[in-house]
Amino acid sequence: MSATPRQEPLLISACLLGSPVRYHGRGAACGHALLAQWRGEGRLVPICPEVAGGLPTPRPPAEIEPGQGGAAVLRRAARVIDASGADVSAAFVGGAELALALARERGIRVAVLKEDSPSCGSERIYDGRFAGARVAGEGVSAALLRAAGLLVFSEHQLEQAAAALARFEAAG
């Protein structure tokens, strides 16, 4: 009798499932068929690192200081500042640490996170000037998860995430 292959769980930004946790109090539901499939298979593990880190919903928008990214925030070489000027770095770092703890607890090796977010952006974040411009970079949670060895994708890379899940499952 052969063992049933383990279905890889997937860490996902809660807002991508429609949860109203973003700074403006709304979600960012992604209607992609892969998300619907993964949800049906029970493999999605949602988290909003910003809310997990103690920030309210709604909250002022926040951005990482200009020219910096999530890794610099983790090293305490940069800050996450909200639109009112408050330093919210501790909440972002704390939320990232909780996301990593959840991933480790559940054996998660792949994450799909909300692009452009100062927490979850995997390839792009806002430039830190609150003018709507985006730059190459990653958010605090994306940086911490990657540093811990997770593969991190955005909602625009679901096919790549599916391929990574399939590789892990094929390897056993």
Side-chain angles (χ1 to χ4, degrees):
M1 178 186 226
S2 65
T4 303
R6 175 182 185 258
Q7 277 196 329
E8 286 283 322
L10 181 75
L11 192 71
I12 187 162
S13 293
C15 64
L16 294 175
L17 299 177
S19 295
V21 293
R22 295 186 71 215
Y23 72 94
H24 48 46
R26 296 187 298 270
C30 178
H32 197 284
L34 280 170
L35 279 186
Q37 175 189 329
W38 293 333
R39 179 180 266 178
E41 293 168 350
R43 55 167 91 208
L44 298 178
V45 179
I47 188 168
C48 174
E50 295 173 29
V51 171
L55 294 175
T57 303
R59 57 190 168 273
E63 297 185 10
I64 298 171
E65 291 179 307
Q68 302 295 326
V73 174
L74 292 167
R75 292 189 315 270
R76 293 180 170 72
R79 300 174 301 156
V80 183
I81 305 297
D82 75 16
S84 73
D87 181 347
V88 291
S89 303
F92 276 75
V93 171
E97 290 170 346
L98 289 169
L100 178 57
L102 179 60
R104 286 181 171 155
E105 172 187 307
R106 299 288 296 272
I108 294 171
R109 299 185 279 183
V110 177
V112 172
L113 304 179
K114 179 71 181 103
E115 195 66 274
D116 302 324
S117 161
S119 183
C120 295
S122 62
E123 293 189 340
R124 278 190 332 249
I125 55 174
Y126 285 94
D127 73 355
R129 293 179 174 87
F130 296 95
R134 296 171 183 93
V135 295
E138 62 186 353
V140 179
S141 292
L144 185 62
L145 293 171
R146 276 197 177 121
L150 274 78
L151 301 179
V152 179
F153 302 94
S154 78
E155 71 273 24
H156 308 297
Q157 300 170 313
L158 296 179
E159 288 80 9
Q160 293 96 317
L165 291 171
R167 284 191 305 274
F168 283 133
E169 290 170 354

